[in-house]
Amino acid sequence: MSKTPKGAGAKAKLKAYFLENVGKVVDSEELRIIAGSSEWARRVRELRGEEGMNIATHNDLSDLRPGQYMLVNLKPLPAFERGISKEVRAFVLDRNGFTCQMCGAVAGEPHPYDPGRKTRLHIGHILDKSMGGKDEPSNLRAICSVCNEGASNTTLVRPDAMKLLTQIRRSATADQLQILEWIVKKFKVQAKRILEED
């Protein structure tokens, strides 16, 4: 077990554990237990991105499987400061309808892929900072904890309007009505203005 001061936060516990296990493969379950938090993956990303710890995943080393991590060595990588303000975070969450842009899970509701867990949203980069992505609203999206845990350094193409309309047209009438209700609720002010103009 890692030697951290009593009352230390999840990030400090994870950092100490990685430092005690340099060059050894550790898995996600170990890290979750050490952190004592469901947010362990986010803390690992912070250690990589903000503190420059050379923590590899299966995306970095072919010897690692998904869910495995390794602090390769103590040589620091370039670190990135957090640059997303509360205002930008609020703007992105609102713009994305408080919905994960990868799986569609809604903040506060049970997660569709992990029903025992409520959906928590974070702000994620479309083009990762390690690849030159910026902390600008155009490069940010709402992403849930479940997707965020597996999304390191990946980029997804968002469906265009035609693809979305095709999917909606193929769905059942009850689903189409549910989509309509969501759109009207999200764009209530704009919908009212359009109806008044007609």
Side-chain angles (χ1 to χ4, degrees):
M1 207 52 139
S2 70
K3 299 167 190 154
T4 53
K6 193 170 183 172
K11 191 159 129 181
K13 291 176 187 174
L14 289 167
K15 183 175 183 177
Y17 190 70
F18 276 116
L19 291 173
E20 290 171 12
N21 291 284
V22 177
K24 295 179 186 171
V25 176
V26 296
D27 66 36
S28 55
E29 184 59 20
E30 285 176 75
L31 298 177
R32 186 187 64 75
I33 292 167
I34 292 296
S37 166
S38 63
E39 297 294 311
W40 65 269
R42 183 176 184 186
R43 302 299 166 243
V44 170
R45 281 191 300 280
E46 288 170 0
L47 290 171
R48 287 179 64 158
E50 295 172 17
E51 299 197 21
M53 291 183 75
N54 192 3
I55 300 169
T57 70
H58 70 283
N59 293 323
D60 308 304
L61 295 175
S62 59
D63 294 343
L64 297 177
R65 295 190 310 270
Q68 292 184 325
Y69 299 80
M70 179 172 52
L71 178 58
V72 178
N73 55 44
L74 297 176
K75 183 179 176 186
L77 299 173
F80 302 105
E81 284 184 38
R82 279 195 188 199
I84 304 170
S85 69
K86 289 180 183 177
E87 293 79 14
V88 169
R89 293 174 71 79
F91 170 79
V92 171
L93 288 170
D94 184 57
R95 179 193 67 200
N96 291 159
F98 295 89
T99 304
C100 176
Q101 299 302 290
M102 289 182 76
C103 71
V106 179
E109 293 183 0
H111 196 279
Y113 303 127
D114 189 357
R117 183 173 172 180
K118 284 205 172 183
T119 301
R120 294 193 59 183
L121 294 179
H122 307 282
I123 300 299
H125 291 84
I126 295 167
L127 180 63
D128 195 78
K129 288 186 84 163
S130 66
M131 298 176 179
K134 307 288 184 204
D135 289 332
E136 298 168 355
S138 61
N139 188 47
L140 299 172
R141 63 184 171 182
I143 185 170
C144 72
S145 300
V146 173
C147 291
N148 203 19
E149 288 166 9
S152 180
N153 292 336
T154 61
T155 58
L156 293 178
V157 177
R158 294 176 65 167
D160 61 14
M162 188 53 71
K163 173 91 172 166
L164 289 171
L165 285 171
T166 301
Q167 293 298 321
I168 292 169
R169 288 180 184 130
R170 292 178 55 218
S171 64
T173 303
D175 292 329
Q176 290 175 349
L177 286 170
Q178 194 173 1
I179 292 165
L180 176 61
E181 287 172 18
W182 177 82
I183 290 172
V184 168
K185 185 177 175 185
K186 178 172 174 60
F187 297 103
K188 198 173 193 174
V189 174
Q190 293 91 331
K192 185 177 179 184
R193 191 177 332 123
I194 290 167
L195 290 171
E196 287 172 355
E197 289 173 1
D198 284 347

